């Protein structure tokens, strides 16, 4: 039953192979007509039709190679016995044998070639009178050539498949080695970060204690010590930012981009301008006096506005407008991002998007809350309230 199992090959090349098989089948069928005419100037019409139809199974030779060869051999044998043809459709037989040798295991190919060889020798003895071995040797050579050509292409196909598989394995191993090297480097950077923080904080603590001790008796000396504390702090910040920039760097990202300062509310104007250049008409409104906003809150506001405007660009549709409104309240900052686009068709929950879930986590870290959903008059709204005291408020 394994011989009857169809052979699968990539569907992307299926159309090309079907066209090629149709052409091969027509060529094999056309070959039978002049072959019959050479043997008999006035052959039986049925003989010509049978010889031509004997090539028809070649249409599915790639799907059922062994059954196709058996079917063609059966048709040829039946025609030879019934009509006693002196010429068989040898081209169809050779093509079928080549297909078996190139697509099936070698044991099956050798068995089919041996069966065809027996049929060729027996048919030659039966049809040819006199020196039959000459024709038998010639036909056996054709059988051997078809078998050898099929085995060659089968071996070559297996070799190319092995090379392709080996290349994929090497590529996976290379990626794994790169990932391991990156992990080791990140672990080294983490150790360096610990050393930098521990060293600089120890130095700054020691210098601060010295400044306190000398501030009463020698103010100038205390001032000089505090300058050293400031310089040490700046060096610590620079080293920390550089190492964190390396950790933030993604594969393929420019190193200078990863080392850029963390964005804040001062970069909102540039963000709004960038969104406008992308096709979304956006305006920024600020209400109330802006106090000294902590850097973490500024980063949260920037990322919240960035995520909301990105969603509007994706889902708002053409002609949408957006408004970013910052309202400073006593101890709080309220952020509203409204648009009049087609985003109201999205699920009315902030949990629907991974970006908004991340914004929830950022806002909750500062004791605030964020809501997202459709507006009553159409469009989409994202609202957040953040505590300006860094999240100490309940």
């Amino acid at each position: 039953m394994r011989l009857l199992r169809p052979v699968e090959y990539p569907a992307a090349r299926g159309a090309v192979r079907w066209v090629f098989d149709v052409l091969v089948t027509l060529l094999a069928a056309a070959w039978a007509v002049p072959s019959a005419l050479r043997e008999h100037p006035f052959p039986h019409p049925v003989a010509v039709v049978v010889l031509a139809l004997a090539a028809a199974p070649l249409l599915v030779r790639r799907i059922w190679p062994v059954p196709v060869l058996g079917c063609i051999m059966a048709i040829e044998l039946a025609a030879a016995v019934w009509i006693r043809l002196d010429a068989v459709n040898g081209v169809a037989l050779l093509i079928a044998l080549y297909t078996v040798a190139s697509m099936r295991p070698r044991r099956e190919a050798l068995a089919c070639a041996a069966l065809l060889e027996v049929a060729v020798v027996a048919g030659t003895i039966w049809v040819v009178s006199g020196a039959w071995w000459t024709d038998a040797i010639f036909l056996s050579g054709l059988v051997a050539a078809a078998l050898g050509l099929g085995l060659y292409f089968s071996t070559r196909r297996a070799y190319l498949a092995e090379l392709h598989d080996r290349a994929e394995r090497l590529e996976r191993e290379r990626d794994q080695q790169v990932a391991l090297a990156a992990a080791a480097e990140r672990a080294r950077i983490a150790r360096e970060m610990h050393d930098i923080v521990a060293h600089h904080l120890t130095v700054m603590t020691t210098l601060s204690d010295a400044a306190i001790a000398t501030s009463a008796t020698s103010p100038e000396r205390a001032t000089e010590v505090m300058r050293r504390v400031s310089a040490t702090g700046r060096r610590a910040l620079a080293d920390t930012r550089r190492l964190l920039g390396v950790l933030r760097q993604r594969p393929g990202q420019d190193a200078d981009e990863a080392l850029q300062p963390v964005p804040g509310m001062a970069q909102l104007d540039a963000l709004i301008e960038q969104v406008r250049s992308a096709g979304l008409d956006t305006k920024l409104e600020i209400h109330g006096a802006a106090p000294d906003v902590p850097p973490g809150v500024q980063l949260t506001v920037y990322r919240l506005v960035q995520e909301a405007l990105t969603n509007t660009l994706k889902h708002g549709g053409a002609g949408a407008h957006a408004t970013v409104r910052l309202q400073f309240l006593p101890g709080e900052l309220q952020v509203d991002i409204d648009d009049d686009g087609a985003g109201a068709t999205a699920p009315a929950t902030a949990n629907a998007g991974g970006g908004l879930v991340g914004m929830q986590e950022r806002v909750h870290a500062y004791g605030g809350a964020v809501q997202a959903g459709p507006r009553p008059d159409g469009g989409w709204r994202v609202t957040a309230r953040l505590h300006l005291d860094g999240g100490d408020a309940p």
Side-chain angles (χ1 to χ4, degrees), residues 7 42 44 71 107 125 139 150 187 217 223 279 301 309 331 358 373 375 384 389:
V7 178
F42 302 100
H44 196 287
C71 181
R107 181 179 302 177
I125 295 175
L139 295 177
T217 58
T223 302
V301 172
L309 294 180
R375 302 193 307 171
D389 54 7

Side-chain angles (χ1 to χ4, degrees), residues 90-102 109 113 116 139-153:
V91 173
L93 287 171
L94 294 177
I95 293 175
L97 177 61
Y98 160 80
T99 305
V100 172
S102 63
L116 182 58
L139 295 177
S140 299
L142 293 179
V143 172
L147 175 64
L149 189 62
L151 293 177
Y152 166 75
F153 279 102

Side-chain angles (χ1 to χ4, degrees), residues 9-21 62 157:
Y9 48 90
R13 299 180 58 187
V16 177
R17 293 188 175 185
W18 275 112
V19 172
F20 180 77
D21 287 345
R62 297 180 189 269
R157 189 183 300 112

Side-chain angles (χ1 to χ4, degrees), residues 88-121:
V88 298
N89 197 340
V91 173
L93 287 171
L94 294 177
I95 293 175
L97 177 61
Y98 160 80
T99 305
V100 172
S102 63
M103 303 190 68
R104 301 300 299 175
R106 182 167 299 180
R107 181 179 302 177
E108 297 180 15
L110 294 177
C112 292
L115 182 61
L116 182 58
E117 176 67 19
V118 172
V120 166
V121 174

Side-chain angles (χ1 to χ4, degrees), residues 20-35:
F20 180 77
D21 287 345
V22 169
L23 295 177
V24 169
T25 302
L26 294 177
L27 177 63
W31 183 271
V33 177
S35 176

